[in-house]
Amino acid sequence: MLAMNYRGPLRVRIDEKPMPKIEHPQDAIVRVTRSCICGSDLHLYNGAVPDTRVGMTFGHEFTGVVEEVGSEVTKIKVGDHVLVPFNIACGQCAFCKQELYGNCHESNPEATAVGGIFGYSHTAGGYNGGQAEYARVPYANVGPTIIPEGMDPDDAVLLTDVVPTGYQAAEMAGIQPGDTVVVFGAGPIGIMAARCSWLFGAGRVIIVDEIDYRLEFAMNYSQCEAYNFKEMDGDVVQFLKKKTDWMGADVCIDAVGAEASGNTMQTITGRKLLLQAGSATAVHWAINSVKKGGIVSIVGIYGPTDNLVPIGNVVNKGLTIRANQASVKRLLPRLIEHVQNGVLNPKGLITHRIPLEEVSDAYRMFSEKQDNCIKTVLIPPSARM
Amino acid sequence: MENLASNYSHIKGWGIDADPKNDPTYPMRKRSNDTHEGYGDWERPTQQQPEVEVLHSTERPNLSSVFGTSTPPSGLSGMIRRMAFKHSENQYRHWLPLILADRINVVEGIIEDFKSGKVPNIFAEKGMKSDMKHDRKGLAEKAAIVSLAIAAIVVWKYGKKSGSRKY
């Protein structure tokens, strides 16, 4: 089968790889129909996540048709078209029982801080991902969800990560009616977080980024205010304080993570020298821009283990910080309802549909923000017939 | 709430998920005493049998019931990874060697390609076709910088050699 193959920082290609096989009675094998490149794949692509091994296949956002199931699989059957949440979750451990599916304790032997994630380094379990023609899907009774009849497959694939992560970012922000929300990062997750903030009753939504086309897209898609931090009059935090009557936002959302630009010291120590687990610029801005007593919600991805974070300001301002990988399974019923009712339009984020065979160029385009790229979907050859 | 909703009637779905109970711990932590019972006090799924070498964190006593088998540790990078996994996730001694192993693994990947008769097309792997299509100016700039750097090294080398001949 064809599959994306990681060869080192900024180098990926398409190769013939062995077909995945059932390795556990609760496994399923799916023939991939759509997969996406996610902003968090870029942390892997840039070589920033420890234990990203050469030869691995990335891709944690995908849909597919079930081809084979293990002996303990009862909830899906061969021929079902399923969307596959990016978390690999057993559904039985203490954390899954709390609906913390992103924190499953039975899917990742290699680290305890994070659960298993498809195609996301050995730090997240060492699973191959869905940027391939076929993928192994463990715990097939828990994660994979049959795509509702009539749902556009492009909507379905964004329900595997982008929509739930953006939604959970807003949910964790504890938004109360009328609140001012600032979202850092106008990538797909930030745009979705801004859109979902309205569902929780935000009174004002502001998004901050450094690239004009992304800001324009966010402004239209999420009906929010948008500002380019490179063109701000003065410091980012000072600018946002001024925009919020010198009080700060009620909540700030970090939808950027380890690749944040905008601060030279963080860029050198976090992104270039890897002395931190990524640049903490967006976290700094969020902590410093939020109102005293406010909430900072973090869905941007950071590596392990140390980061220079202004914890003193968290204490002095009395902040609440909430952060997690999205628990996709918990959120799916509500989000499917929102998509079916037309409240959310996930496929509106997709700007590029690219054959899987052109994965190297797709990564380059997405990474370098070329051709006004917001979200890329890869289509395997078997899904194009 | 009623007045606010009319202010935002142009935004589809405004306020439909507003929840006054969304305090800082809800719904992130649906309270349960299960975790008080300790590790593994749940019905563990069937254990996947390892057919390849799988490393596990020192912060757990065993393998998780299911794990990935994409790329087992191998070669020099594998040796470093095995050493890294002797240390807790809390320590740099775990993570920094893994980053080093990743870099060594890249060289191993190139050697492995040549061994299997494949010459890696680094230009294509870096997605330069996309640069050709969407960022010709940037690509030309990078090419010019690389050419200049190579020229500078050649000149420096040549100058050094001719200088040494004088003495």
Side-chain angles (χ1 to χ4, degrees):
Chain A
M1 67 158 185
L2 290 177
M4 175 269 198
N5 186 348
Y6 172 74
R7 304 309 299 172
L10 309 181
R11 283 176 53 220
V12 300
R13 70 182 183 220
I14 195 81
D15 270 337
E16 277 290 335
K17 290 179 86 172
M19 281 284 287
K21 59 182 173 69
I22 301 281
E23 298 187 46
H24 182 268
Q26 290 185 42
D27 282 357
I29 304 297
V30 303
R31 177 173 56 81
V32 176
T33 51
R34 298 274 189 289
S35 63
C36 296
I37 302 177
C38 177
S40 43
D41 283 330
L42 298 183
H43 307 319
L44 300 170
Y45 181 66
N46 290 329
V49 180
D51 218 355
T52 302
R53 300 181 193 169
V54 167
M56 192 174 194
T57 296
F58 299 169
H60 55 271
E61 302 175 6
F62 62 99
T63 57
V65 175
V66 179
E67 290 278 314
E68 191 183 350
V69 292
S71 58
E72 291 181 15
V73 176
T74 54
K75 300 279 174 64
I76 56 170
K77 60 183 188 310
V78 172
D80 284 342
H81 197 178
V82 292
L83 64 90
V84 182
F86 74 90
N87 335 97
I88 299 170
C90 73
Q92 293 173 235
C93 70
F95 305 105
C96 283
K97 280 191 209 161
Q98 288 182 212
E99 296 191 320
L100 295 170
Y101 296 102
N103 308 93
C104 175
H105 212 63
E106 292 288 7
S107 58
N108 180 11
E110 283 153 275
T112 53
V114 61
I117 298 175
F118 290 100
Y120 212 78
S121 84
H122 277 256
T123 298
Y127 298 90
N128 275 325
Q131 290 167 9
E133 288 190 286
Y134 293 87
R136 171 196 170 209
V137 176
Y139 296 133
N141 288 328
V142 182
T145 301
I146 296 171
I147 298 172
E149 205 171 316
M151 179 177 278
D152 189 316
D154 286 345
D155 279 330
V157 75
L158 294 190
L159 283 168
T160 62
D161 181 352
V162 178
V163 182
T165 301
Y167 185 90
Q168 187 168 307
E171 182 188 61
M172 290 191 298
I175 299 166
Q176 297 299 308
D179 276 358
T180 294
V181 179
V182 174
V183 180
F184 293 99
I189 300 287
I191 292 170
M192 189 53 71
R195 177 68 189 86
C196 291
S197 294
W198 295 119
L199 305 186
F200 290 90
R204 189 180 177 196
V205 181
I206 296 169
I207 199 162
V208 176
D209 198 272
E210 62 173 330
I211 299 172
D212 284 332
Y213 83 81
R214 294 187 359 149
L215 287 164
E216 196 180 332
F217 191 100
M219 203 162 58
N220 294 328
Y221 185 92
S222 307
Q223 296 166 276
C224 62
E225 295 169 52
Y227 298 105
N228 187 327
F229 68 77
K230 283 188 169 168
E231 293 164 11
M232 282 174 180
D233 181 19
D235 177 76
V236 182
V237 173
Q238 182 191 335
F239 176 89
L240 290 168
K241 286 276 176 68
K242 192 174 170 186
K243 284 280 170 195
T244 51
D245 201 23
W246 301 104
M247 293 291 279
D250 295 289
V251 302
C252 283
I253 295 173
D254 168 5
V256 182
E259 304 290 330
S261 56
N263 179 301
T264 308
M265 192 274 283
Q266 291 278 348
T267 300
I268 293 170
T269 58
R271 292 172 64 194
K272 304 297 179 192
L273 300 178
L274 297 179
L275 293 174
Q276 295 190 67
S279 154
T281 304
V283 172
H284 272 252
W285 289 354
I287 288 170
N288 292 332
S289 305
V290 79
K291 194 180 279 182
K292 291 172 193 172
I295 298 177
V296 171
S297 166
I298 305 173
V299 288
I301 299 296
Y302 294 89
T305 185
D306 292 1
N307 264 109
L308 296 170
V309 172
I311 196 70
N313 288 359
V314 175
V315 176
N316 288 332
K317 292 176 77 171
L319 304 185
T320 298
I321 294 185
R322 300 174 75 184
N324 206 351
Q325 302 277 356
S327 281
V328 178
K329 182 184 161 64
R330 172 175 67 82
L331 298 168
L332 269 180
R334 183 65 169 157
L335 294 174
I336 287 173
E337 199 181 315
H338 283 337
V339 173
Q340 287 179 324
N341 293 339
V343 168
L344 293 175
N345 168 30
K347 67 173 180 289
L349 288 172
I350 296 171
T351 51
H352 290 74
R353 298 160 62 83
I354 297 178
L356 175 66
E357 299 91 308
E358 295 172 25
V359 68
S360 316
D361 301 321
Y363 264 89
R364 183 78 182 178
M365 176 192 285
F366 188 54
S367 163
E368 295 299 310
K369 319 281 188 295
Q370 294 168 348
D371 200 30
N372 289 355
C373 183
I374 297 286
K375 188 70 180 172
T376 297
V377 174
L378 299 169
I379 318 279
S382 53
R384 300 200 296 270
M385 289 172 202
Chain B
M1 181 105 173
E2 285 306 310
N3 291 339
L4 271 179
S6 62
N7 293 341
Y8 296 99
S9 57
H10 61 293
I11 292 175
K12 198 162 187 178
W14 185 85
I16 58 175
D17 290 333
D19 180 359
K21 284 192 300 179
N22 189 8
D23 69 69
T25 63
Y26 175 91
M28 289 292 294
R29 186 166 189 267
K30 291 202 163 183
R31 290 170 182 81
S32 142
N33 289 333
D34 286 346
T35 50
H36 299 168
E37 304 303 322
Y39 170 77
D41 194 45
W42 54 79
E43 193 191 335
R44 296 192 71 211
T46 310
Q47 179 66 53
Q48 178 181 339
Q49 293 310 309
E51 292 177 5
V52 295
E53 183 182 1
V54 180
L55 302 171
H56 78 85
S57 167
T58 59
E59 294 176 28
R60 59 178 302 133
N62 53 12
L63 294 177
S64 52
S65 299
V66 157
F67 44 80
T69 53
S70 69
T71 37
S74 62
L76 176 61
S77 65
M79 287 166 64
I80 297 170
R81 291 189 210 283
R82 286 180 202 110
M83 281 164 57
F85 270 84
K86 289 181 179 159
H87 303 286
S88 157
E89 292 168 62
N90 182 49
Q91 294 179 311
Y92 267 132
R93 273 177 286 176
H94 178 72
W95 298 111
L96 291 182
L98 288 175
I99 290 175
L100 173 68
D102 288 349
R103 300 299 173 265
I104 291 169
N105 199 194
V106 173
V107 180
E108 291 171 337
I110 292 173
I111 295 168
E112 177 197 319
D113 271 346
F114 278 110
K115 270 182 163 172
S116 58
K118 187 179 177 83
V119 180
N121 183 346
I122 290 175
F123 187 86
E125 287 171 356
K126 281 179 172 282
M128 290 297 171
K129 252 169 64 184
S130 185
D131 275 7
M132 293 272 278
K133 196 170 172 189
H134 301 294
D135 186 24
R136 278 178 185 245
K137 196 180 155 203
L139 189 62
E141 278 172 9
K142 277 176 214 152
I145 291 168
V146 171
S147 306
L148 277 173
I150 292 171
I153 291 167
V154 169
V155 167
W156 176 69
K157 278 275 185 191
Y158 177 76
K160 205 176 171 185
K161 275 184 188 169
S162 56
S164 62
R165 266 188 235 121
K166 286 178 187 172
Y167 295 96

